[in-house]
Amino acid sequence: VANCGIDFEPDEGVVRRLRSAGASQTVLDAVRAATGPAERNRQAELALWNSIKNSGNMGAFEDFLSRYPDGQFAAEARQKYQDLRVAGVRDEMERTLAAGQWDAADGKIRALLRVVLETEEIRGWQRRVADGREAERKQKEAAAALKAEQASWESIKDSRDPQLFEQFLREHPSS
């Protein structure tokens, strides 16, 4: 049965019917020992899972999922893969965010989200990118306003016209 690739999982009912039909003990033992392709596949999946389940190798889980995408350990393998993938970029992401490289950080997050599900940690990185960009925008606006104020002052500072100074104070009351 196994050599012919027949997917045959004998239960006790099958064994009883064979016995009542006159099958010898040798035949009954052979039938009990037979495992079909489905059982061999389950055994192979279990063996591979046992060999990688404690691994820190992301590629091992990627390979496992390519072989058994709907297997009994697929959900666990996906979670391990995701955890390893996020851990792999964590230090790099922290350095990128600390350096204020918002576009680079955003690109890393987008690439990561193509292969893993969004986590609270990733949402935190996204918030830090958004907050960093907003702070940078405000800083640029403030710098531009200061530059405009300085240019305005430079244009009137040597003037003797009081109206120019009054207009300057209206435009820049906290100067």
Side-chain angles (χ1 to χ4, degrees):
V1 170
N3 289 342
C4 293
I6 299 170
D7 195 6
F8 181 69
E9 310 280 339
D11 60 16
E12 284 307 309
V14 169
V15 173
R16 275 194 306 273
R17 285 194 311 267
L18 288 171
R19 185 177 290 125
S20 68
S24 69
Q25 188 59 44
T26 305
V27 169
L28 294 175
D29 291 343
V31 167
R32 280 191 186 105
T35 57
E39 178 59 24
R40 283 194 302 275
N41 194 42
R42 281 191 291 277
Q43 289 172 358
E45 178 187 0
L46 179 61
L48 181 56
W49 176 250
N50 284 332
S51 73
I52 68 162
K53 67 183 177 184
N54 296 319
S55 172
N57 180 345
M58 195 169 45
F61 293 97
E62 203 168 20
D63 176 58
F64 180 88
L65 288 167
S66 72
R67 292 180 192 203
Y68 306 103
D70 300 315
Q72 66 182 23
F73 303 106
E76 217 174 323
R78 278 187 196 84
Q79 185 62 51
K80 287 281 283 185
Y81 175 80
Q82 179 170 325
D83 293 347
L84 290 169
R85 185 72 185 229
V86 171
V89 298
R90 185 174 286 125
D91 291 339
E92 186 179 350
M93 183 61 72
E94 290 301 325
R95 283 191 302 275
T96 304
L97 290 168
Q101 298 172 335
W102 313 122
D103 291 340
D106 190 45
K108 290 176 194 309
I109 292 168
R110 289 177 193 274
L112 185 61
L113 288 174
R114 283 194 287 276
V115 293
V116 301
L117 298 174
E118 188 174 78
T119 64
E120 186 55 41
E121 182 174 32
I122 293 172
R123 283 189 290 278
W125 292 339
Q126 290 170 321
R127 283 190 299 273
R128 287 175 62 189
V129 167
D131 292 349
R133 283 181 169 159
E134 180 63 16
E136 193 173 86
R137 183 191 64 75
K138 285 180 179 179
Q139 186 178 20
K140 285 179 182 177
E141 283 179 0
L146 180 61
K147 188 175 180 180
E149 181 182 326
Q150 288 172 337
S152 179
W153 174 250
E154 287 299 319
S155 71
I156 68 159
K157 72 177 184 180
D158 295 328
S159 174
R160 297 203 184 274
D161 184 352
Q163 289 179 339
L164 291 176
F165 291 102
E166 288 173 7
Q167 180 183 348
F168 177 84
L169 288 173
R170 278 192 304 277
E171 291 174 3
H172 309 286
S174 60
S175 176

